[in-house]
Amino acid sequence: GSSGINAEWPLRPGVNQILRHVGELLDYEDDKMLEELYKKTAWCFDKKYPTSGKSHEMFKEAAQKPEVLDELDIDDHTKEVLLKNIKRRLTPQAVKVRADVEVLCYAYEGIDAVKAALRAGLKLATEEVPLKINLIAPPIYVISVTLFNEEKGVEAVRASMEAIKNSIEASKGTFNVKLDPKVVTEREDQKLQEELEQRERDMMEKDGDEDSEDEESEDDEEEESDENEV
């Protein structure tokens, strides 16, 4: 029975799921065939690189560098199906880290001080660490970054917060943390994007009700609105 496979070697769940799925896709008739696949793949990596969970690490590496699988004694079709499944399950997922901060300055030229502070926070952005800062509603700003490495993301956001804090406090302003750096789920991120878009719409409406009247008349009679605008 399949208990032999599980008992003999406590595989990481990811490896188990991948190999069982490959067995299904290749129409293996019995556990004997599946066991052969384990021997030639996961167990082979484990014997060769005996540190714990090694096959899991090798599979993970194969998601980025398929040639890792070349040393396995399996036919090309099996290798292709295996690689497809590894990629589907073990490709690293990007995570978004965000923090919300309050940046205020009531001094003369306070707006410039706030802008300078935010610029200081953005200075830390690089190609590898694409930090962003968005206004939610004055004086609340959201600092965010999307990376494959959660710790690095939190670190980058913290460093940006620190830079903003130092800059605004040097200008006699205040800095408060409203939300500590944390990983945002897709749903929370969606919500944030909607808030930002809503805010943009509000700003556009505020920018002038006269404009919006013009826009409405544009739909009705093109020429008339042209005269209005001139």
Side-chain angles (χ1 to χ4, degrees):
S2 62
S3 59
I5 290 177
N6 294 329
E8 188 177 329
W9 200 75
L11 282 167
R12 298 281 290 273
V15 172
N16 263 329
Q17 286 168 332
I18 288 166
L19 292 180
R20 285 185 180 284
H21 195 49
V22 169
E24 281 165 26
L25 291 172
L26 295 175
D27 294 324
Y28 285 179
E29 331 252 287
D30 54 26
D31 279 349
K32 199 89 209 103
M33 293 176 83
L34 185 58
E35 196 165 327
E36 267 309 294
L37 180 67
Y38 271 76
K39 274 186 186 147
K40 289 181 166 178
T41 56
W43 295 345
C44 168
F45 276 146
D46 280 339
K47 282 200 178 79
K48 209 164 176 179
Y49 311 102
T51 49
S52 65
K54 199 58 209 189
S55 55
H56 190 266
E57 291 310 308
M58 295 304 283
F59 277 16
K60 231 160 82 178
E61 203 177 316
Q64 311 300 314
K65 291 192 288 195
E67 61 271 19
V68 165
L69 300 180
D70 289 350
E71 60 180 276
L72 299 177
D73 176 25
I74 51 177
D75 63 81
D76 286 348
H77 182 54
T78 303
K79 192 194 295 181
E80 195 183 312
V81 175
L82 175 60
L83 184 62
K84 224 183 215 156
N85 276 281
I86 285 175
K87 281 191 164 161
R88 235 191 36 223
R89 286 186 184 271
L90 297 179
T91 300
Q93 298 297 309
V95 292
K96 183 167 190 167
V97 176
R98 79 176 264 196
D100 296 358
V101 298
E102 186 178 59
V103 188
L104 282 160
C105 187
Y106 292 120
Y108 183 63
E109 291 182 356
I111 290 173
D112 293 336
V114 169
K115 279 185 186 161
L118 297 172
R119 268 201 301 274
L122 264 184
K123 258 206 189 100
L124 302 172
T126 62
E127 219 171 300
E128 284 81 55
V129 185
L131 280 162
K132 289 196 179 114
I133 299 180
N134 294 89
L135 173 64
I136 294 185
I140 310 282
Y141 297 84
V142 56
I143 307 166
S144 63
V145 69
T146 302
L147 287 174
F148 286 117
N149 183 324
E150 178 184 326
E151 275 169 46
K152 261 197 182 142
V154 170
E155 238 168 67
V157 170
R158 277 200 194 288
S160 180
M161 289 162 75
E162 195 58 30
I164 295 170
K165 180 181 194 295
N166 292 340
S167 174
I168 198 70
E169 286 179 355
S171 302
K172 306 276 182 287
T174 55
F175 175 91
N176 293 305
V177 179
K178 289 292 177 191
L179 174 74
D180 272 317
K182 67 171 202 135
V183 173
V184 193
T185 64
E186 244 169 76
R187 211 184 63 218
E188 291 171 318
D189 189 38
Q190 187 60 41
K191 205 167 155 269
L192 172 66
Q193 294 311 321
E194 282 164 12
E195 276 175 37
L196 294 176
E197 280 162 22
Q198 182 57 48
R199 177 172 159 66
E200 242 162 63
R201 283 195 293 272
D202 294 347
M203 290 293 288
M204 285 167 85
E205 280 166 25
K206 259 199 208 124
D207 269 354
D209 294 325
E210 306 86 27
D211 292 0
S212 62
E213 277 166 27
D214 278 357
E215 277 163 29
E216 277 160 30
S217 63
E218 254 175 57
D219 297 340
D220 304 336
E221 301 125 41
E222 280 294 321
E223 302 92 319
E224 204 179 293
S225 77
D226 287 343
E227 284 163 28
N228 289 351
E229 278 166 20
V230 173

